[in-house]
Amino acid sequence: MGKTYRGGAPLAEVVRSGFVEGVHRGSVVVLDAAGAVLAAAGDVTSPVFPRSSNKPMQAVGMIRAGLPLTESADLALVAASHAGEEFHLARVGGLLAGAGLGEDDLHCPPELPVGEEARVAVLRAGGGPTRIQMNCSGKHAGMLLTCRAAGWPADGYWRPEHPLQQRLRDAVEEFTGEQAAAVGVDGCGAPVLAASLTGLAGAYLRLVTAEPGTAPRAVADAMRAYPEIVGGTQADDTRLMRGVPGLLAKVGAEGVIATALPGVGAVALKIDDGAGRARMPVLVSALRRLAVDAPVLEEFAEVPLFGGGLPVGAVRPLW
C-alpha cells in the first residue's frame, strides 16, 4: 500500500446544454466474487479516509467487545449515518434510555439532521441542533453501550487510545487486510482510520460472505434488512439496498461509497473533490462491470442539471 494518495482519474463529466463545464476526478476499484481486481481507475492502493464507510467494520468490533444488542434494527443503527428522521431519533433515544444514559452522554456534536425533510421539519418547529440528531448518534450510542458491557470507562470513549477504539481499530485492520495508514478525527469526533479502496472493497466482500451467525454476517444482514435505518427514506445507500437484493452499501463523506454483493463482487470508490453528485453515476458504471442490473441503477446512472427550473444537462460517468 502506498503512503500518500496520489489522486484519481477523470471519472465523471458535468455537461450543461451540451457543453462540458466540469470534470470530477477520483478512484474506483471493482473486485470479482473471489476478491481479485477486475477493473480499476486512479489510485486504489494508497490510503484514503473511508469516513462512514468504516462503520460496518466498527460495528463488528463492538459486537466482539460485548455490545449487547439483540434486535437487528438496533445493530443497523449502530452502523448507520442516519438522516435524523423521527424513527431514527426514537431508536437512538431508546438505546440510550435502556442503558440509563441520555443525550448528554454522547460525544458527537450537536447538529441538525442531514436529511433535508427532517432538517426542514426541525427548523419549522423552532428546533435547533442536538446531539441525537447528528447522523452518527447511533454509532456513538453503540460505543457507549459497548463500554458499559465491557466494563470500560465511558470517559474519553472516543479517543484513539481508549480500549474501545483499540478494538474497533483491530476490526477495521482485520477486514481491510491492512494496517491503518493514518488515524484522523471524523466529523463526529470519533477516530477514522485510513485504508486503500482495494482494502475497503475487500472488507465489504468479507462482510457479506461471512458465515451465518458470526458478527460480520450479523452486521451485513442487519444493514440489508433495515436499509432505511442505515441511511434514511431517500438516502442513496438505502435506495440501493432496497433496489438490489442482497447488496450491502454504505456511503462515506468526501465522495466515498463501498458496496458488495455475495457471489458477484464488490466496489469501492472516492471522488477526489468530495462531490456527492458524481458518486452514484460512477458507482453504477462500476456495478455494471459486475453485470449487476436493477431498475434503481437507471435512477442513479446520471444526475440531472437544471437551468431555469428545467433539465438542461447531467453529471454522467466517463469511466
Coordinates of all heavy atoms in Angstrom, one line a residue, residues 48-55 58 139 143 158 160 165 169 172 180-195 252-253:
V48 N -6.9 6.3 1.9 CA -7.8 7.4 2.0 C -8.6 7.2 3.3 O -8.6 6.1 3.9 CB -8.8 7.4 0.8 CG1 -8.0 7.5 -0.5 CG2 -9.7 6.1 0.8
F49 N -9.3 8.2 3.7 CA -10.2 8.1 4.8 C -11.6 7.6 4.3 O -12.3 8.4 3.6 CB -10.4 9.4 5.6 CG -9.3 9.7 6.5 CD1 -8.8 11.0 6.6 CD2 -8.7 8.7 7.3 CE1 -7.8 11.3 7.5 CE2 -7.7 9.0 8.2 CZ -7.2 10.3 8.3
P50 N -12.0 6.4 4.6 CA -13.3 5.9 4.1 C -14.5 6.6 4.8 O -15.6 6.5 4.4 CB -13.3 4.4 4.4 CG -11.9 4.1 4.5 CD -11.2 5.3 5.1
R51 N -14.2 7.3 5.9 CA -15.2 8.0 6.7 C -16.2 7.0 7.1 O -15.9 6.0 7.7 CB -15.7 9.2 5.9 CG -14.6 10.2 5.4 CD -13.9 10.9 6.6 NE -14.8 11.7 7.3 CZ -15.2 13.0 7.1 NH1 -14.6 13.6 6.0 NH2 -15.9 13.7 7.9
S52 N -17.5 7.3 6.9 CA -18.6 6.5 7.5 C -18.7 5.1 6.8 O -19.4 4.2 7.3 CB -19.9 7.2 7.4 OG -20.0 8.2 8.4
S53 N -18.0 4.9 5.7 CA -17.9 3.6 5.1 C -17.2 2.6 6.0 O -17.3 1.4 5.8 CB -17.3 3.6 3.7 OG -18.1 4.3 2.8
N54 N -16.5 3.1 7.0 CA -15.9 2.2 8.0 C -16.9 1.6 9.1 O -16.5 0.7 9.8 CB -14.8 2.9 8.8 CG -13.4 2.9 8.0 OD1 -13.2 2.2 7.1 ND2 -12.5 3.8 8.5
K55 N -18.0 2.2 9.1 CA -19.0 1.9 10.2 C -19.3 0.4 10.3 O -19.4 -0.1 11.5 CB -20.2 2.8 10.1 CG -20.0 4.2 10.6 CD -21.2 5.0 10.5 CE -21.0 6.4 11.0 NZ -22.2 7.3 10.8
Q58 N -16.6 -1.2 12.2 CA -16.6 -0.7 13.6 C -17.7 -1.4 14.4 O -17.5 -1.8 15.6 CB -16.8 0.8 13.7 CG -15.5 1.5 13.1 CD -15.8 3.0 13.0 OE1 -16.8 3.5 12.5 NE2 -14.8 3.8 13.4
K139 N -24.0 5.2 16.1 CA -22.7 4.7 16.4 C -22.2 5.0 17.8 O -21.7 4.2 18.5 CB -21.7 5.2 15.3 CG -20.3 4.7 15.5 CD -19.3 5.2 14.4 CE -18.9 6.6 14.7 NZ -17.9 7.1 13.8
M143 N -21.2 2.7 20.9 CA -19.9 2.7 21.6 C -20.1 2.8 23.1 O -19.4 2.1 23.9 CB -19.1 3.9 21.1 CG -18.6 3.8 19.7 SD -17.7 5.3 19.2 CE -17.1 4.8 17.6
W158 N -14.2 8.1 22.9 CA -13.9 8.5 21.5 C -12.4 8.7 21.2 O -12.0 8.9 20.1 CB -14.6 9.8 21.2 CG -14.2 10.9 22.1 CD1 -13.1 11.8 21.9 CD2 -14.7 11.3 23.4 NE1 -13.0 12.7 23.0 CE2 -14.0 12.4 23.9 CE3 -15.8 10.8 24.2 CZ2 -14.3 13.0 25.1 CZ3 -16.1 11.4 25.4 CH2 -15.3 12.5 25.8
P160 N -8.5 7.7 20.5 CA -7.9 6.6 19.9 C -7.2 5.6 20.8 O -7.2 4.4 20.6 CB -6.8 7.2 18.9 CG -7.3 8.6 18.7 CD -8.0 9.0 19.9
Q165 N -11.7 2.0 21.2 CA -11.2 2.3 19.9 C -10.1 1.4 19.4 O -9.9 1.2 18.2 CB -10.8 3.8 19.9 CG -11.9 4.8 20.2 CD -13.0 4.7 19.3 OE1 -12.9 4.3 18.1 NE2 -14.2 5.1 19.7
R169 N -10.3 -0.5 16.0 CA -9.1 -0.5 15.0 C -8.8 -1.9 14.6 O -8.5 -2.2 13.4 CB -8.0 0.2 15.6 CG -6.7 0.2 14.7 CD -5.6 1.1 15.3 NE -4.5 1.1 14.4 CZ -3.6 2.1 14.3 NH1 -3.7 3.1 15.1 NH2 -2.6 2.0 13.5
V172 N -11.2 -3.0 11.9 CA -11.0 -2.4 10.6 C -9.8 -3.0 9.9 O -9.8 -3.3 8.7 CB -10.9 -0.9 10.8 CG1 -10.5 -0.2 9.5 CG2 -12.2 -0.3 11.3
A180 N -3.8 0.4 9.6 CA -4.3 1.8 9.4 C -3.1 2.7 9.1 O -2.2 2.8 9.9 CB -5.0 2.3 10.6
A181 N -3.1 3.3 7.9 CA -2.0 4.2 7.5 C -2.1 5.5 8.2 O -1.1 6.2 8.2 CB -2.1 4.4 6.0
A182 N -3.2 5.9 8.7 CA -3.4 7.2 9.5 C -4.6 7.1 10.3 O -5.5 6.3 10.1 CB -3.5 8.3 8.5
V183 N -4.6 7.9 11.4 CA -5.7 8.0 12.3 C -6.1 9.4 12.4 O -5.3 10.3 12.7 CB -5.4 7.5 13.7 CG1 -6.7 7.6 14.6 CG2 -4.9 6.0 13.7
G184 N -7.4 9.7 12.0 CA -7.8 11.1 12.0 C -9.0 11.3 12.9 O -9.5 10.3 13.5
V185 N -9.6 12.5 13.0 CA -10.8 12.7 13.8 C -11.9 12.9 12.8 O -11.9 13.8 11.9 CB -10.6 14.0 14.6 CG1 -11.9 14.3 15.4 CG2 -9.4 13.9 15.6
D186 N -12.9 12.0 12.9 CA -14.0 12.1 11.9 C -14.9 13.3 12.3 O -14.8 13.9 13.4 CB -14.8 10.8 12.0 CG -15.4 10.4 10.6 OD1 -15.7 11.3 9.8 OD2 -15.6 9.2 10.4
G187 N -15.9 13.5 11.5 CA -16.8 14.6 11.8 C -17.6 14.5 13.1 O -18.0 15.5 13.7
C188 N -17.8 13.3 13.6 CA -18.5 13.0 14.8 C -17.6 13.1 16.0 O -18.1 13.0 17.2 CB -19.2 11.7 14.7 SG -18.1 10.3 14.7
G189 N -16.3 13.2 15.8 CA -15.3 13.3 16.9 C -14.6 12.0 17.2 O -13.7 11.9 18.0
A190 N -15.1 10.9 16.6 CA -14.5 9.5 16.9 C -13.4 9.4 15.9 O -13.3 10.1 14.8 CB -15.5 8.4 16.7
P191 N -12.5 8.4 16.1 CA -11.4 8.2 15.1 C -11.9 7.7 13.8 O -12.9 6.9 13.7 CB -10.5 7.1 15.8 CG -10.9 7.2 17.3 CD -12.3 7.6 17.3
V192 N -11.2 8.1 12.7 CA -11.4 7.5 11.4 C -10.0 6.9 10.9 O -9.0 7.6 11.1 CB -12.0 8.5 10.4 CG1 -11.1 9.7 10.3 CG2 -12.2 7.9 9.0
L193 N -10.0 5.7 10.4 CA -8.8 5.0 10.1 C -8.7 5.0 8.5 O -9.6 4.7 7.8 CB -8.8 3.6 10.6 CG -9.1 3.5 12.1 CD1 -9.2 2.1 12.5 CD2 -8.0 4.2 12.9
A194 N -7.5 5.2 8.1 CA -7.2 5.3 6.6 C -7.0 3.9 6.1 O -6.3 3.1 6.7 CB -6.0 6.2 6.3
A195 N -7.5 3.6 4.9 CA -7.3 2.3 4.2 C -7.4 2.6 2.7 O -7.9 3.6 2.3 CB -8.3 1.3 4.6
G252 N -19.8 7.2 2.5 CA -18.9 7.9 3.5 C -18.8 9.4 3.0 O -19.0 9.6 1.8
A253 N -18.4 10.3 3.9 CA -18.2 11.6 3.5 C -17.1 11.8 2.5 O -16.3 10.8 2.3 CB -17.9 12.5 4.7

